[in-house]
């Protein structure tokens, strides 16, 4: 069964009073115990745990792990199945990196916390997410109480009175409208038989807009997967727009002939022969952030790829 807790703290000492017993309990139980944090936090925990106990904990640098919401979610999926669950229960202590994020990235990290409740529901997983109350914006702390069923602290664990159903929280994130493509965005329509030309167009735009070579192929593959799925499973034809914005490249794909019903599409590995799940799982992993808006007028899928 999933346990998902927020750990708001005001001081490093307060953080350690909750985190250290949590980690010690996992070591005693024989769990796979993992800490994803900044190096200074890892050093604090190693000191408080002692060398013997700390040696049983896997420490991961948060700067590497939290490169993006989907990057982190995919890493959780990969490592739990390959390394952690085979050893029994996994017990994670993680402190996401909130500094330097755009409003879009901040919203998607909040969505990520809500999705963890769905993606790992019913699995042998404990996740405690630390939040520095002395440094983080109030809205981040407020939404931590909405995306975590429980709140942990030195006095114990209590249910979060503000916890929100993940579907409702997800819908709130999607209530933010996607702004239209800028006037100078390059546009191209596509239909059956036109995918080779579409891939050539995407490659040329990636080059023109300065996307590095090592990111151009994932970008083209992601958009091609979405366009192929629209042709085969959606309305049969669509349009897309490509443009650069600060820090990356954006491609907006429109499918006027279909509305999607699976709100969590692509956030978990595909089950069986469900092509839509497989496509969006691959697309999300190829991109930094993927936004989906779907309704009576069809579906828009907006893919963000970072320059660096």
């Amino acid at each position: 069964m999933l346990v998902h807790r927020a750990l708001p703290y005001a001081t490093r000492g307060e953080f350690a009073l909750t985190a250290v017993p949590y980690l010690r309990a996992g070591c005693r139980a024989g769990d796979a115990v993992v800490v994803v944090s900044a190096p200074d936090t890892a050093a604090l925990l190693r000191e408080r745990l002692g060398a013997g106990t700390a040696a049983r904990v896997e420490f991961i640098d948060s700067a590497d792990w939290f490169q993006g919401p989907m990057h982190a979610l995919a890493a959780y999926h990969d490592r739990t199945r390959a390394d952690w669950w085979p050893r029994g229960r996994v017990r994670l202590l993680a402190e996401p990196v909130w500094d330097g994020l755009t409003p879009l990235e901040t919203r998607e990290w909040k969505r990520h916390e809500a999705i963890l409740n769905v993606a790992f529901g019913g699995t042998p997983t404990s996740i405690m997410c630390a939040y520095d109350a002395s440094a983080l914006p109030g809205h981040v702390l407020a939404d931590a109480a909405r995306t975590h069923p429980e709140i942990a602290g030195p006095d114990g664990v209590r249910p979060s009175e503000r916890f929100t159903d993940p579907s409702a929280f997800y819908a709130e994130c999607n209530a933010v409208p996607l702004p239209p493509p800028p006037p100078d965005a390059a546009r191209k329509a596509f239909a059956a038989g036109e995918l080779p030309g579409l891939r050539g167009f995407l490659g040329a735009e990636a080059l023109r807009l300065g996307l590095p070579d090592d990111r151009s192929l994932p970008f083209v593959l992601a958009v091609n997967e979405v366009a192929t799925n629209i042709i085969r499973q959606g309305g049969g034809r669509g349009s897309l727009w490509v443009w650069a914005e600060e820090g990356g490249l954006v491609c907006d794909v429109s499918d006027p002939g279909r509305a999607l019903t699976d709100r969590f599409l692509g956030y978990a590995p595909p089950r069986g022969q469900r092509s839509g799940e497989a496509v969006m799982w691959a697309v999300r992993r190829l991109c930094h952030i993927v936004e989906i808006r779907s309704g009576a007028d069809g579906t828009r899928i907006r893919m963000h790829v970072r320059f660096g």
Side-chain angles (χ1 to χ4, degrees):
M1 178 179 177
L2 173 68
V3 174
H4 189 203
R5 297 169 180 165
L7 167 55
Y9 65 92
T11 67
R12 302 270 284 175
E14 183 179 328
F15 164 78
L17 283 174
T18 305
V20 170
Y22 170 77
L23 298 174
R24 286 188 182 279
C27 290
R28 287 195 301 269
D31 296 345
V33 183
V34 183
V35 172
V36 184
S37 72
D40 60 337
T41 301
L44 170 68
L45 292 172
R46 285 191 174 98
E47 178 186 352
R48 297 293 181 92
L49 289 168
T53 302
R56 301 170 59 185
V57 178
E58 179 181 355
F59 289 90
I60 300 173
D61 191 331
S62 55
D64 295 331
W65 190 268
F66 293 119
Q67 295 181 33
M70 192 61 203
H71 180 277
L73 186 63
Y76 281 136
H77 279 295
D78 292 345
R79 292 297 307 278
T80 51
R81 287 159 174 77
D83 303 325
W84 298 334
W85 286 339
R87 293 152 57 189
R89 187 172 186 85
V90 58
R91 182 176 292 237
L92 284 154
L93 173 65
E95 185 159 24
V97 179
W98 295 94
D99 293 340
L101 301 181
T102 66
L104 168 61
E105 289 172 326
T106 300
R107 183 172 69 246
E108 292 304 309
W109 273 115
K110 292 178 180 180
R111 189 200 303 262
H112 165 87
E113 292 287 7
I115 287 171
L116 288 177
N117 297 295
V118 177
F120 294 100
T123 67
T125 305
S126 294
I127 307 175
M128 183 179 287
C129 304
Y131 288 79
D132 184 351
S134 68
L136 292 174
H139 62 88
V140 171
L141 296 170
D143 281 337
R146 301 184 65 216
T147 56
H148 295 78
E150 296 180 336
I151 307 295
D155 297 330
V157 177
R158 59 178 172 82
S160 174
E161 297 178 354
R162 300 192 63 232
F163 179 66
T164 303
D165 181 272
S167 295
F169 191 89
Y170 191 101
E172 287 181 27
C173 294
N174 278 5
V176 178
L178 295 180
D184 60 347
R187 180 185 181 277
K188 188 171 183 62
F190 59 88
E194 299 175 354
L195 288 175
L198 178 66
R199 291 190 291 270
F201 165 80
L202 293 168
E205 284 303 301
L207 178 63
R208 182 179 71 85
L209 296 171
L211 191 66
D213 290 344
D214 63 335
R215 295 181 181 267
S216 180
L217 180 58
F219 165 72
V220 173
L221 288 175
V223 180
N224 182 74
E225 285 294 313
V226 170
T228 300
N229 189 253
I230 289 172
I231 292 171
R232 293 177 178 174
Q233 308 292 334
R237 62 177 59 248
S239 300
L240 59 79
W241 294 258
V242 181
W243 68 94
E245 63 181 20
E246 185 176 358
L249 204 65
V250 183
C251 182
D252 201 48
V253 184
S254 173
D255 177 5
R258 175 177 55 163
L260 299 177
T261 57
D262 184 352
R263 67 177 68 246
F264 298 115
L265 185 63
Y267 285 108
R271 298 160 292 177
Q273 301 299 314
R274 304 188 183 190
S275 61
E277 289 182 356
V279 167
M280 288 312 302
W281 171 248
V283 168
R284 289 193 188 277
R285 297 195 68 165
L286 289 166
C287 299
H288 176 48
I289 289 174
V290 177
E291 302 178 89
I292 299 177
R293 301 291 187 271
S294 194
D297 295 333
T299 298
R300 291 172 68 192
I301 298 177
R302 181 167 291 186
M303 291 159 276
H304 301 256
V305 179
R306 291 191 295 187
F307 286 134

